[in-house]
Every structure is written in C-alpha cells, then in structure tokens.
Amino acid sequence: MTKAAKLIRVTYLGLLILALIAPMLGLYPVFVMKLLCFALFACAFNLLLGFTGLLSFGHAAFFGSAAYVTGWLIKSQHFTPELGLLAGALASGLIGLVVGAVAIRRQGIYFAMITLAIAQMVYFVCLQVPFTGGEDGLQGVPRGALFGLISLESDTAMYYLVVAIFVASFLAITRIVSSPFGQVLKMIRENEPRAISLGYQVDRYKLLAFVLSAALAGLAGSLKTLVMGFATLSDVHWSMSGEVILMTLLGGVGTFFGPAFGAGIVIALQNMLADKVGSWVTVIIGVIFVLCVLAFRKGIVGELQAYLRRRQR
Amino acid sequence: MSAEYILETRGLSKEFKGFVAVNSVDLKVQRGHIHALIGPNGAGKTTFFNLLTKFLLPTRGSIVFNGNDITTEAPAQTARRGIVRSFQISAVFPHMTVLENVRAALQRNLGTSFHFWKPESTLFHLHDRARQLLAEVDLQDFADELTVNLPYGRKRALELATTLALEPELMLLDEPTQGMGHEDVDRVTQLIKKVSVGRTILMVEHNMNVVSSIADRITVLQRGAIIADGPYAEVSKNPLVIEAYMGTVDTALQGAH
Ligand SMILES: Nc1ncnc2c1ncn2[C@@H]1O[C@H](COP(=O)(O)OP(=O)(O)OP(=O)(O)O)[C@@H](O)[C@H]1O
Ligand SMILES: [Mg+2]
C-alpha cells in the first residue's frame, strides 16, 4: 500500500471513531445527525457530477420528495422507520428514473436546465397536493421504533442508526464507483464518444447512475425527516439543489470524502451563524465559496489529495 | 457471411444546412483488404467515417455491413456488430491507466457492465489478456502508467490495442499516423499491417508512404465525392487525382526525403 493510501485509511478510521464517540464529546447529536444527512445527500449528488460528469440542478426534487413520502408514510400510514426510509428512497429512485429518462437525451447545460425545470414541477406538486401540508409542511413525524423493536425517540439510538446508514451508503457509493459499472461511468466522463465507439450504450449507463444517485439522495432526505421530525417546502426548493452543488464543489468534486466535508462546513456555518447574523449567513457562505473556488479549484479535499500526491513523488 | 464485400455504401450523402460534405458515395470494401481513403483537407473523410459509425445520420443513401442494412442503427449497436473506429484526434481515457484503457474494451463482453454491486476485482482476470494486447503494440512496459502521461505516438498505439481488444471485423482508422515523427509513423504502419491479418481495415491517411506501402486499394475523395478508386499504381496515375491531390503530395514527399 502506498503512503497516501495508508494515510487515507487512517483518516477514515479516525473519522469513524470520531463519529462513534461524538455524543460523548458533548457534540449536540441532532446537529451531527443533520450534518450526516446532508453529507449523504452531497455524496449521492457527487456520484452523478463527480463520477459520471453529469450536472443535475434538480436534486432537491429527490431529497425533498423522499422527505415527504417518508414523513407521510410514518405519520399517517404508521410505517415503521426502516420501511419509511426504504419507501422514500424507492420513490425518489422512481422519480429519478422519469427525470433521468427525459434529461439524459441532452448534454451539458441543457441537461442541467431540464433537471431544474422538472424539479420546479415537483416543487409545485409538493405545494399543491394535500398530504404535504402545503406551506406548513409535514410536522410532528414520530421516529417510532426500528423494526417495531428499538425505540428511536432517544437521540442516542437515532444517532447510531444515522451513523450506520451513512457509513453503509458511503461504502455503497465507493463500491458503485469501482464496480464494473463504475468503470463504464468513468469512461463516459473521460471520453464519451470513445465509450460509444467501444459499443457501450452510454445513455443506459447514465440513466442507471441517475437513478442510483436519486435514490441515495432520497434516502438522505428520508433520514432527515426521521431525525428532525418534519419535511417542508425548503427540502424541495431549488435553493436546496444549489446548496448541494455548493457543498460538493467546496469539499471537492470527484473525491469520495470531499462532498461530505463540504456539507459539514456548510451545515456547521449555518448552525453557528444563523442566530447571530440571520439571513446574512447565505452571503457569508457565498463569499467563502467564491474564495474557496478561487484558491482551491479542486475543492478542499481535492487540493489536499493533490498536495499529498505531489509530495509522494 | 463470406461475401466478397464486407461493407458497401450506396449513394451515401450528408448535407450540413445545404452544404454537401459527402456526396452520393458508392464505396465497396473488400473483405481482408487494407483500404485507404484519401483526399484533401475538408474532402469529407471524417464525415464519411461518422456516417459509417452512426455518429451522424446520413441525409440520403444506405450502408450495408455483412449483408445487413445498418443505416439507421444506433452507434453502440454498430460497434457491437464489429465496426470499431478510431478518431482523428487520439481517443483514449486519459485519467485511466494504460492497462485500464484496454480492459475497458475487454470488459464489454463479460456482460457485467451494469453490475454496480460487484467489486473491481471481478475484472482482474482480464489483465492477462490486456497485457498481451499491450505487448502486441509494444506498450507492455507502460501498463501501469497514467495514459495522459504517454507521448502522442504511444497514445495512438494504445488506441489501436483497445480497438483490437474488441476483435473487430472491420476497423476504421482516421489518420492513425497524423502528427507523428518518422519513427512512430513506421512503427504504427507496421503495426497496422500486423493487425490487419484476419480482418478488414478502412483507413484515412495523408501520408503517401504509408498508403503505398500497405494499402491494397485506394479511394480518393474530393469535395465529398469519389474521383478515383483502385490499386495505388493505377490511382496515382489518374490525371484527376494528380491534379486534385497528388501534386501537393509529391512536393510533400520531396520535402520529406
Ligand atoms: N458538423 C458539421 N457541421 C457543418 N459542417 C461540417 C460538420 N462536420 C464537417 N463539416 C464540413 O464538412 C466538410 C468535410 O469535413 P471533414 O471533417 O469530413 O473533412 P476531412 O476530409 O476529414 O478533412 P481533414 O483531412 O482536414 O480531416 C468540411 O468542409 C467541414 O467544414
Ligand atoms: Mg478528417
């Protein structure tokens, strides 16, 4: 194993331990849970942008609709949490299939515009249909008991479930990226005409990547509903699609951990600044983003990796 | 399937907003041949290749490959039939290793390319074959190098190895020696000769040394239309060709010597 690979392993192990003992360090569990939900959202988004080369401007549609589906199933249909999460992810995967099938016919900015347009329709639907609670959102979603056995009402139990789901999803994403399927995604990102000339029906691969990304983004939204106990219009709002792009670019697009790191920074800043500066927080994050993009084009984790690689030579 | 001609186009035309880039081309490529397509810049050679590989849809005409009309097929489908192309500008996957580039082609026939849950290690058994193919083009020592770091000539060789990995019946090479130094040109020429055994090659080539040394048949394209077709000796004496094309080539050849 190379030095860099070792370092990465040690870092991941350290982060995992940190995540496991975080509640004992006095970190507010709900804050860390929220952070992990957004970290998962960003990692799912990065599967598409970083590892397939497709920029979606409508990922809030998946995050938000799954948040509503899960909230409604648990609150009104008395689903257990694990089934609620699963149903949320499946629903957003299905929406992803429809959006993807329309969008992948176009390239570049047109692809982004189509995803944005459809996400706006999803927003409108969420505003109009009765079960989402319209402007008020879906409030008071109970956490219930996992498999009907383990109550999640305590933050500690909920916390470890969130950590487990995040770690499993993160590993799943690394697996997808390195799988035979992931190799084809890499070919598409690197040189799409060449991939076609080798006989790969690239649209089908892009579509599957889109569905997987949508389903995982949905899982993040569902988990957020379970943690916070509500789903609101801001979950499906276009600004949420923008936020996930920002998180991903800030941390490092196309790196495994960068998006999670970027999500951490954004959520932490929002949390620290919200009650001090009010809506200025958007401006501050915007400025930080611009500075980061100017100074570290590959994102924070991306630059760090490049630096380590240079030192290794 | 043993028909004499592997590929045949009938009245193949492509217009871009009224501009005729390929004009009613009837071309027959004989099985087993190295068939060269030459013509001045802008003659429509690359466009013709794009039509054959379905990267562009023809305005008129048809394409028959092994007796099947493939005119309206999707590009990936055509590739699966056995027509694999290279590009005028080298087409590699730059941020994959040399070995991974070849493996990318070998992977297709496994039928696991949608298996997103399988580890990369399920592809490792392809490495032996990939190394063999790399050895065929003299790249065995570069297997673990990142492709972006290869010199241009080596990238073209890698492209050839990747194309060969699919065992195509018909290879379309678009200016495989363009932008290369003398040594690389010779090496790639020999390579093409070597890999032509048991398959058919249709290649666009500007370098007349290459064409005269390995091509069995030559078609000359000018302003989208065929102006001559036949063996080198015959075509090179054709006054139309001399006027349109050879004149400039002669001077180029003299310059090279
Ligand atoms: N997509 C396109 N839209 C409009 N015109 C095009 C397009 N592609 C090619 N052309 C035009 O068609 C003509 C033929 O181009 P093509 O690239 O096929 O020439 P070529 O024979 O490959 O030339 P070269 O030797 O320079 O590679 C050129 O005049 C070119 O400008
Ligand atoms: Mg050309």
Side-chain angles (χ1 to χ4, degrees):
Chain A
M1 214 187 323
T2 61
K3 231 164 116 188
K6 250 184 220 155
L7 192 67
I8 289 170
R9 278 222 172 161
V10 172
T11 312
Y12 278 141
L13 204 66
L15 284 166
L16 181 63
I17 293 170
L18 186 68
L20 290 177
I21 62 168
M24 291 152 223
L25 298 177
L27 276 168
Y28 183 44
V30 174
F31 163 71
V32 185
M33 284 191 271
K34 184 177 168 196
L35 190 155
L36 285 173
C37 290
F38 280 93
L40 174 56
F41 183 27
C43 287
F45 173 77
N46 187 43
L47 180 60
L48 208 55
L49 179 61
F51 295 110
T52 318
L54 293 175
L55 172 61
S56 154
F57 210 94
H59 256 47
F62 311 124
F63 184 83
S65 49
Y68 278 123
V69 167
T70 301
W72 179 73
L73 287 176
I74 292 179
K75 188 179 174 190
S76 308
Q77 307 300 312
H78 310 294
F79 270 46
T80 49
E82 73 286 352
L83 287 180
L85 292 174
L86 195 66
L90 280 177
S92 56
L94 271 177
I95 298 174
L97 185 65
V98 176
V99 180
V102 178
I104 52 166
R105 290 157 195 274
R106 293 284 174 270
Q107 316 254 319
I109 190 71
Y110 299 103
F111 174 88
M113 296 309 289
I114 292 175
T115 54
L116 175 61
I118 301 181
Q120 287 301 93
M121 292 184 220
V122 172
Y123 177 84
F124 185 74
V125 170
C126 289
L127 183 63
Q128 298 297 326
V129 293
F131 81 90
T132 58
E135 302 270 0
D136 302 329
L138 205 61
Q139 303 286 342
V141 178
R143 286 183 187 167
L146 191 64
F147 304 115
L149 297 171
I150 310 160
S151 167
L152 297 175
E153 292 306 328
S154 96
D155 279 346
T156 316
M158 188 68 222
Y159 178 78
Y160 285 106
L161 177 67
V162 172
V163 171
I165 291 179
F166 176 79
V167 171
S169 308
F170 186 80
L171 291 176
I173 290 173
T174 58
R175 168 58 66 85
I176 292 170
V177 169
S178 64
S179 71
F181 171 69
Q183 301 298 319
V184 182
L185 296 187
K186 200 167 175 184
M187 295 174 215
I188 294 174
R189 193 188 52 181
E190 291 268 295
N191 191 339
E192 186 171 338
R194 182 55 171 165
I196 296 172
S197 78
L198 293 180
Y200 291 102
Q201 284 142 323
V202 295
D203 281 357
R204 298 187 188 178
Y205 293 87
K206 287 185 191 171
L207 184 58
L208 180 54
F210 200 92
V211 170
L212 290 171
S213 172
L216 285 163
L219 180 61
S222 298
L223 202 56
K224 196 230 69 176
T225 299
L226 198 62
V227 169
M228 312 297 283
F230 56 77
T232 61
L233 281 175
S234 72
D235 296 336
V236 269
H237 195 249
W238 63 267
S239 61
M240 185 65 86
S241 300
E243 210 161 88
V244 76
I245 297 176
L246 191 142
M247 290 169 176
T248 306
L249 294 181
L250 195 61
V253 66
T255 65
F256 282 113
F257 197 70
F261 192 79
I265 292 179
V266 172
I267 299 295
L269 279 174
Q270 284 176 349
N271 210 50
M272 280 188 316
L273 298 176
D275 43 346
K276 299 197 184 84
V277 296
S279 52
W280 280 94
V281 66
T282 326
V283 179
I284 294 173
I285 291 175
V287 170
I288 292 178
F289 177 68
V290 170
L291 290 178
C292 273
V293 169
L294 290 177
F296 326 107
R297 276 195 320 138
K298 299 186 175 104
I300 296 167
V301 173
E303 290 294 341
L304 213 65
Q305 275 181 4
Y307 170 75
L308 285 174
R309 237 175 258 141
R310 274 199 302 275
R311 271 218 354 206
Q312 220 187 358
R313 290 255 172 90
Chain B
M1 291 283 245
S2 60
E4 190 180 359
Y5 297 106
I6 186 168
L7 180 82
E8 200 178 335
T9 67
R10 294 179 194 138
L12 200 62
S13 303
K14 178 69 188 177
E15 292 175 14
F16 295 110
K17 301 196 183 96
F19 171 76
V20 186
V22 173
N23 190 357
S24 189
V25 168
D26 298 305
L27 180 82
K28 287 181 176 179
V29 179
Q30 197 174 323
R31 194 179 297 279
H33 265 185
I34 296 182
H35 193 130
L37 188 63
I38 66 171
N41 289 106
K45 305 177 297 289
T46 299
T47 307
F48 185 65
F49 267 26
N50 283 335
L51 292 173
L52 294 181
T53 50
K54 319 332 271 289
F55 279 63
L56 289 173
L57 273 182
T59 313
R60 272 183 306 281
S62 62
I63 306 164
V64 177
F65 175 67
N66 272 337
N68 300 304
D69 188 316
I70 60 163
T71 315
T72 54
E73 257 177 21
Q77 188 58 39
T78 298
R80 284 159 180 269
R81 277 192 186 276
I83 305 181
V84 183
R85 70 178 297 185
S86 74
F87 292 78
Q88 188 161 355
I89 297 158
S90 89
V92 289
F93 302 115
H95 296 98
M96 290 163 76
T97 67
V98 169
L99 188 76
E100 283 169 349
N101 263 267
V102 180
R103 193 181 73 185
L106 291 172
Q107 178 189 336
R108 200 194 74 197
N109 286 332
L110 289 183
T112 62
S113 289
F114 284 105
H115 295 189
F116 59 82
W117 57 90
K118 286 199 174 139
E120 187 184 1
S121 57
T122 57
L123 299 174
F124 289 172
H125 69 279
L126 298 173
H127 289 181
D128 282 344
R129 176 75 186 125
R131 280 179 207 282
Q132 268 174 19
L133 286 158
L134 286 177
E136 274 190 47
V137 300
D138 264 346
L139 280 176
Q140 63 276 27
D141 299 336
F142 297 85
D144 298 317
E145 184 68 53
L146 214 54
T147 303
V148 66
N149 298 329
L150 291 186
Y152 185 75
R154 299 278 187 189
K155 278 188 193 142
R156 305 261 22 184
L158 173 59
E159 202 183 333
L160 215 51
T162 308
T163 305
L164 280 174
L166 295 174
E167 317 227 343
E169 261 189 276
L170 174 62
M171 273 168 89
L172 306 183
L173 307 176
D174 197 349
E175 303 203 25
T177 68
Q178 191 199 31
M180 280 185 193
H182 249 305
E183 267 175 42
D184 279 346
V185 169
D186 288 345
R187 208 160 39 118
V188 169
T189 308
Q190 290 319 308
L191 208 61
I192 292 170
K193 182 78 192 158
K194 185 168 130 194
V195 304
S196 70
V197 178
R199 53 174 58 90
T200 313
I201 294 179
L202 175 62
M203 62 190 286
V204 171
E205 184 54 67
H206 277 305
N207 187 322
M208 281 324 216
N209 283 330
V210 176
V211 172
S212 62
S213 68
I214 62 172
D216 298 297
R217 195 179 180 88
I218 299 172
T219 300
V220 186
L221 217 56
Q222 189 191 20
R223 291 201 208 100
I226 294 181
I227 57 167
D229 180 67
Y232 180 79
E234 196 179 292
V235 168
S236 59
K237 289 198 198 82
N238 184 322
L240 269 177
V241 176
I242 294 171
E243 191 195 319
Y245 191 70
M246 291 299 187
T248 57
V249 169
D250 268 356
T251 44
L253 279 180
Q254 277 157 15
H257 282 298

